[in-house]
Amino acid sequence: MANLDQLSVLVVEANQGMRAQLRAMLEGFQINQVQFAPSAGSAIRRLREQRFDLILCDFDLGEGQDGQHLLEDLRNQSIIPPETLFIMITSERNYERVIGAAELSPDDYILKPLTAGTLQVRLERALNKREVFLPLYRAITSGDPQQALDYCISAESEYPRLRIDFMRKRADLLASMGHTERAEAVFRDILEIKSIPWARLGLGRMLFARKEFGEAAKLFEGLVAESSYYLDAYDWLARTRKQNGLADQACAVLANAVELSPHRLSRLRQYASVSMDTGNFAKAEQTMAEVVRKGKYSDFRDPQDHVHLVRTQLAQGRVAEAEKTIRDLEQSMPGVASGAVCSAFAKALIHQNTGNIEGARVEINKALEIGTRAQLNTELKHQLLDACLEARLDAEGSQLAAEILRNAADEATIEATREVMKKRGRNDLADAVEAKLHAEVKAYVANGASLAQAGDFDGAVKEMMSAVRKMPGNHHVLFNAALALLRHIEHKGWNERFADQARALINRARRLDPANARLEAIINFSQTLARKYGIQPSSAMPPKPGQAAEKSDRLAWVR
C-alpha cells in the first residue's frame, strides 16, 4: 500500500476556497508536506526550485492557462522528472479535453465535485502504479533506453492490467530512439486491442515521420471530426497540409484550433508562420502581436517573437509600427538573454526594408558580435544568415552558416541552411562551408583516434572534449568524445567523472541522432566497463548475457 504521509505535494489551484478544501483533505490523510500555487506561472517557478512527488492541478487555471498547458510545459521543458505524478482535477464539461488525443496525458484525473474518499483512492492508485513504473523511469533518467524497452516488454506480461500503458511507453521510447517503423507497429498493436485517440495520433505521427503524409492526414482528419477538443490532432493535420504544399488549408486548420484554444503560444506562432507563407500578412501581424502580448506574462517569453512581429509589419510596409515593436522589446525585456541580438537584428531588417544597406551592415555585425546569438532558434539564425547575404557580408555569413551547421541536429537543418544560401545564388558558399566543417570533424576524430591508439588516453580525451566545446551539436563529435572517455576508463581505471560525462554525451548524441545504430553498442560498452570495475549501473534490468561484450568489441572511431 502507498504511504501517503510521506508525499510532498504541490497543489495548483486558482480558487482560494478550493485550495482550502484540498488542504483539509490532504491533512486528513496525514500529508503535511503541501505547498500551493495559485497560477501556472507560480507553479513553474516553484517547480524549478523544488522537486515534488505529486502535482495536484485544476484544469481551469485562469489567465489563459489550463492544466493541460501546464503539464505540457513541465514535461517538454524537463522541469519535472518522469516519476513526478501529475493528477488533474476537472469538471465534467472539461473531461473530454483531459482524456483526449493529447501527446502528453496526466497520470490520472478526478472529476468534480470532489470527495475525500475519491481523492484518497485515486492517490493510492496513482502511487501504486508509479511503483510499477519506477524501474522504467530510472532507466530513462540514467540514459539507458534499451533497458527501459526491455522492462516495458517484461512488464506488459507481468502487469496485464497495465499492458496498454507499457505499450504506449514502449512506442514513445522507440519513437524517441528513431525506430519509427517499430514504434508504428506498437501503435498498431494497441489499436488492435482498443481504438484509443492517443494511439491513433501516435500512429499518425509515425506515418508523418516516414513522410506518408496522405495516410497521416486521414488519421488526423478522423480525430478532428470526432471531437473538436483533439487539439494536438489539429496541429499535426496542419503540419501535413503544409508538407503537402497546402498552406491555405493548413492555415484554415490552425484558425479553427486557435479559436478553440486561443492561449497556446506555440500554436499561435505556427499560425502566424503559416499566415506569412500564404501572404496574409495582416493576420500574421495580428497573431504575432497577440503572442508578444501574452508572452510578457509567460515564464517562456522569447524576444525572438518581437523579431517575427517586425517581419510581419515590414511585409506590409508598416515601418513606424516595426520601430515601435523594437522599442517595446528593449523596454519590456532588457534583461532577457538574446534580447540585444534580437533588437539589433530587427533594426537591420528595418534598414534593409528602407534601402539603408550600410545601416543594415552595422546592425548585423552588432548582432553577430553578441555572444548570446547562440541562444537564437535555428529559424531566426537562418533569417540572420539571409540578411548577411543580402547585405553582401559573405565572410560573416560563412561564419554564421558554419556555426549553424556545427550544431545541426538533423539533415533537415543542414538542408534548410543550404537552401538559404542557394536562394541567394551562393551554392559556392554552401559547398565551401560544408567542406570546411567536414574536414574539421575528420581532423578532430583522426587526432583523437591516433592519440588513443598510441596509448595517450589523456590526450585523446582532451582533444575530443575540445571538439565538443567547438561543435556541441555535432553527433559524430559527441559520439567519439564519449568513446574517448570510455576507452580512458577501459585502460586507466574507473573514473566517476569521466563516466558521468560519457553518459551525458551519449544522451545528447541520442537526442540529435536517435536512429544511430551504434548507440546501443556504446551504451553496452559503458555497462560492460561498469561491471568490470564492480560498479552497479543504474538500470532497470541487467543486460542480456554476452550482448554487451559482443557489441563493445565492434566499437571503433567514427571518422
Side-chain angles (χ1 to χ4, degrees), residues 47-117:
L47 288 160
R48 279 178 167 153
E49 298 170 354
Q50 183 178 345
R51 179 173 293 189
F52 292 86
D53 297 312
L54 168 68
I55 299 168
L56 202 56
C57 180
D58 200 324
F59 179 85
D60 187 3
L61 297 177
E63 298 181 356
Q65 268 280 0
D66 63 45
Q68 182 63 34
H69 290 165
L70 176 59
L71 172 62
E72 291 170 8
D73 284 339
L74 295 175
R75 295 293 189 200
N76 290 332
Q77 301 291 331
S78 300
I79 295 173
I80 59 174
E83 61 266 26
T84 293
L85 291 169
F86 192 104
I87 296 180
M88 196 90 75
I89 301 172
T90 180
S91 63
E92 192 168 353
R93 63 185 174 86
N94 288 322
Y95 171 74
E96 190 175 5
R97 292 175 185 259
V98 177
I99 64 164
E103 292 181 64
L104 288 169
S105 300
D107 294 283
D108 204 351
Y109 61 89
I110 304 174
L111 282 176
K112 295 178 180 178
L114 184 62
T115 67

Side-chain angles (χ1 to χ4, degrees), residues 302-304 329 335-343 370 372-376:
D302 190 342
Q304 295 174 89
L329 165 61
V336 176
S338 77
V341 180
C342 289
S343 175
I370 302 171
T372 51
R373 69 180 182 273
Q375 298 175 17
L376 299 178

Side-chain angles (χ1 to χ4, degrees), residues 442-456:
K442 190 174 181 180
Y444 278 128
V445 175
N447 289 342
S450 176
L451 289 166
Q453 288 164 4
D456 185 2

Side-chain angles (χ1 to χ4, degrees), residues 146-196:
Q146 187 55 54
Q147 296 289 356
L149 282 174
D150 290 343
Y151 182 75
C152 283
I153 292 170
S154 65
E156 286 167 28
S157 301
E158 188 175 350
Y159 305 100
R161 292 182 62 184
L162 298 174
R163 182 187 176 196
I164 289 180
D165 297 87
F166 277 108
M167 291 177 75
R168 181 179 189 176
K169 296 290 188 186
R170 179 156 60 97
D172 288 339
L173 274 166
L174 288 167
S176 71
M177 295 166 68
H179 301 314
T180 305
E181 292 186 4
R182 290 172 62 189
E184 177 186 333
V186 178
F187 280 123
R188 290 189 185 279
D189 288 342
I190 294 170
L191 291 170
E192 286 290 321
I193 300 169
K194 187 177 181 180
S195 181
I196 307 172

